[in-house]
Amino acid sequence: MSGISESDVERLRQAWGSVAAWMENNAPSSAGALNPPAGDEDISRLRSALGGDIPDVLEVWLRMNNGSTAKDRREPIPGGFRVVRHPDSAVFPLGKAFLSSREMIAHRADYLHIAAEIGDEDYWQPSWIPVIEALDAPYGFLLDMKGEGNSFPVLSFSEGSYPRPYAPSLAHALTAVANAINHGTGSDFSLSGTAATAVDGRITWL
């Protein structure tokens, strides 16, 4: 694992543990969309795809839950398959899901391919890895693995515009999400949600 402050790792662990526990107690349908923890093979495959190490904070998150896409399914189509997203995957505000390590690899490869095709390396850089994304469109948040010092900032991205700075770290973002869920105190880093409730067993953002 690559270096990041122990405080950020612990903050993320506490924040995501709080979010997952809230869903387990209040939104079981959403909790059921959380994948089991990533294993050594998952992390090794991700590290290999990225061509090096990965930030500790990302590995810790994935080893807690490897995404929120457990209910998604693959549907065969001529020449391959398509992924059918389940609504319960969207555990974050504005219909966004926590990508699994396999999806991070695949989506990053797609974005790098687009950048090469259009001849614009600023569209997607090799150090960027998508971690949170909308179910039906290329909108979400990425982790910049080429941060300064021990900081790995979170950037927001959307179709038709370049990624832009959003939060100092995953720990900041997930702590803000936990605060919004548990206390209704959203902040600039709470992924555009100010409070959450449960409707029919599913987390719903206000």
Side-chain angles (χ1 to χ4, degrees), residues 17-180:
S18 174
V19 171
W22 186 93
M23 287 192 288
E24 187 71 32
N25 292 327
N26 299 280
S29 294
S30 297
L34 297 178
N35 288 308
D40 291 344
E41 186 175 342
D42 298 308
I43 298 301
S44 178
R45 189 179 298 115
L46 178 60
R47 186 176 291 116
S48 177
L50 299 177
D53 215 343
I54 62 175
D56 292 34
V57 70
L58 178 58
E59 180 172 342
V60 166
W61 193 19
L62 289 169
R63 286 189 182 276
M64 294 180 75
N65 291 108
N66 192 8
S68 64
T69 56
K71 297 182 182 181
D72 293 355
R73 60 186 176 85
R74 293 187 173 196
E75 185 176 271
I77 59 174
F81 65 90
R82 70 184 182 95
V83 176
V84 180
R85 294 293 195 183
H86 195 284
D88 290 348
S89 299
V91 298
F92 289 118
L94 305 178
K96 293 183 175 64
F98 170 20
L99 299 180
S100 69
S101 59
R102 182 174 67 177
E103 291 162 330
M104 291 177 187
I105 293 169
H107 291 210
R108 172 179 174 270
D110 287 343
Y111 294 136
L112 285 172
H113 179 71
I114 293 171
E117 275 197 332
I118 65 177
D120 184 358
E121 58 186 28
D122 289 331
Y123 176 84
W124 200 274
Q125 298 179 14
S127 64
W128 294 347
I129 181 165
V131 293
I132 296 169
E133 193 167 334
L135 299 185
D136 56 358
Y139 297 86
F141 300 91
L142 65 88
L143 182 67
D144 186 357
M145 297 179 296
K146 196 172 73 176
E148 303 233 352
N150 288 328
S151 175
F152 302 96
V154 174
L155 282 64
S156 64
F157 69 93
S158 60
E159 191 172 32
S161 65
Y162 293 119
R164 56 192 182 277
Y166 184 81
S169 70
L170 278 176
H172 277 83
L174 294 184
T175 296
V177 168
N179 287 338

